[in-house]
Amino acid sequence: MNTWNIQWKNQWKKTIALGSAAFLLGGSAVYAASPAMQAGGSANVENVQDAPMPLPLTEEEISAQQLADAEYMALLWMRTSAEYRALCYQGYNAALMAIDRAQANPSARSGKPLAIVLDCDETVTDNTRAMAAAAAAGNGRYDALWWRATVHEGRSEAMPGAVEFLNEVARRGVAIFYVSNRWSEVNYEPTIENLKALGFPSVDAEHVLLMEDRKMSDKQPRFDRITEDYDVVVYMGDNAGDLPLGTKGMNRTARNAAIDAAQEEFGTQYIVFPNPAYGSWISALAKDYMTMSPEAREEFYAKTLTE
């Protein structure tokens, strides 16, 4: 497919996708992100033929839009579906049942205080509104500047049932550890403020463990620090890296094998929340997935979907 055809296709797809994004953001916010508005157009054009033509997209913009297109249905599902809410409740209920079992049979445990370990984003905090805004603007890359702004503005919301779940865990006397790969140096204070504002318990330096070194995103050392003093009943997250399975840096095949090897622990010791929008599963698709040319990515989609 030549560059002109890809550019035309992506302009057309963006117009269609912006209509879907109206579900997520509201019409005015979506229209403000449209190509016509970005090109200096007016929101009050009386005749369609008088509307300004959108400016041609660069290859980088085409690539970013292509990535955004791939995220639309995932974000619509996460933000609107009853099934997504049901899976959130299911995960929290499973964790409470695991705590029930642990507290009912203390002789089978280590004798250390009980704890749960959980990720923040898309495990108890919901960032889909901000993600949808980025996708509606044609940005499917979710770069560090965009994410940092989201965190600093404290825009994370609570996932369905998360506040009630965590407060019930605290009521039962079980310690709660938030182990997140938000970068501590710039995100610690706004993260603390946001979690407190949402009504989550145990929000302090002892229980909120963010990433201290961006070159060391593996959570296992933080898990090990917790298990020195606590008996962890369940690990909860939306990414395999949120669990002590050693999947950091693994490719698709190895990640799937690690999950298969631990299959009996899911729903009891390991609880996973659905996140089809982002995560390590994307980087595991291919080493150069995010930097592929639009043409190469289209070919990759066709090949991978029919493997």
Side-chain angles (χ1 to χ4, degrees):
M1 184 180 294
N2 63 40
T3 302
W4 186 89
N5 283 336
I6 287 181
Q7 187 173 88
W8 179 88
K9 179 181 179 183
N10 278 276
Q11 291 280 24
W12 174 79
K13 287 169 71 178
K14 185 165 186 175
T15 300
I16 299 300
L18 285 167
S20 296
F23 272 108
L24 309 179
L25 302 171
S28 60
V30 173
Y31 189 70
S34 69
M37 291 300 290
Q38 292 173 350
S42 169
N44 298 308
V45 177
E46 293 184 4
N47 300 307
V48 173
Q49 64 269 23
D50 295 330
M53 291 294 293
L55 296 175
L57 299 177
T58 65
E59 182 170 290
E60 173 68 18
E61 289 170 332
I62 293 172
S63 181
Q65 179 61 57
Q66 184 185 51
L67 292 169
D69 292 341
E71 292 155 3
Y72 269 104
M73 291 307 296
L75 289 168
L76 281 167
W77 181 76
M78 293 172 79
R79 286 203 56 76
T80 68
S81 75
E83 291 80 0
Y84 179 68
R85 300 179 72 85
L87 287 169
C88 294
Y89 296 135
Q90 179 173 277
Y92 302 141
N93 289 341
L96 289 176
M97 287 188 285
I99 292 171
D100 285 340
R101 291 190 296 271
Q103 291 184 321
N105 189 15
S107 62
R109 309 296 302 193
S110 67
K112 296 178 182 179
L114 300 182
I116 66 168
V117 173
L118 62 154
D119 181 43
C120 285
D121 299 306
E122 278 51 69
T123 299
V124 290
T125 52
D126 176 2
N127 302 286
T128 55
R129 189 182 303 277
M131 288 192 287
N139 176 12
R141 297 194 181 280
Y142 301 137
D143 59 29
L145 292 177
W146 172 85
W147 177 246
R148 187 180 301 179
T150 301
V151 173
H152 272 286
E153 292 167 14
R155 287 191 278 147
S156 296
E157 301 172 1
M159 287 173 57
V163 175
E164 295 83 357
F165 161 69
L166 287 172
N167 279 286
E168 176 61 18
V169 173
R171 188 190 69 78
R172 298 187 186 195
V174 175
I176 300 166
F177 290 93
Y178 306 87
V179 181
S180 167
N181 273 349
R182 294 183 176 194
W183 184 27
S184 180
E185 183 175 326
V186 295
N187 293 330
Y188 179 76
E189 291 299 334
T191 295
I192 291 291
E193 292 173 5
N194 196 179
L195 294 178
K196 286 183 176 179
L198 292 174
F200 292 152
S202 304
V203 178
D204 54 40
E206 179 184 355
H207 296 92
V208 179
L209 306 180
L210 305 188
M211 180 175 61
E212 299 291 341
D213 184 345
R214 286 188 293 179
K215 295 180 180 179
M216 293 290 292
S217 60
D218 190 345
K219 293 184 175 183
Q220 190 61 51
R222 282 171 279 171
F223 295 159
D224 292 341
R225 282 159 48 193
I226 295 168
T227 56
E228 287 177 2
D229 300 314
Y230 290 89
D231 183 346
V232 177
V233 179
V234 290
Y235 293 85
M236 307 172 69
D238 63 306
N239 193 343
D242 299 327
L243 313 174
L245 295 175
T247 58
K248 177 68 177 177
M250 286 184 176
N251 61 22
R252 277 191 289 162
T253 301
R255 293 177 91 245
N256 288 335
I259 296 301
D260 291 344
Q263 60 184 283
E264 294 182 359
E265 309 300 331
F266 289 99
T268 54
Q269 186 178 357
Y270 304 145
I271 296 172
V272 180
F273 292 84
N275 183 356
Y278 73 91
S280 296
W281 70 272
I282 293 178
S283 57
L285 285 171
K287 288 183 178 180
D288 60 344
Y289 173 77
M290 296 299 290
T291 57
M292 286 179 180
S293 69
E295 297 94 334
R297 197 178 289 120
E298 289 280 0
E299 293 175 4
F300 175 79
Y301 287 155
K303 177 182 177 182
T304 305
L305 285 170
T306 56
E307 284 181 346

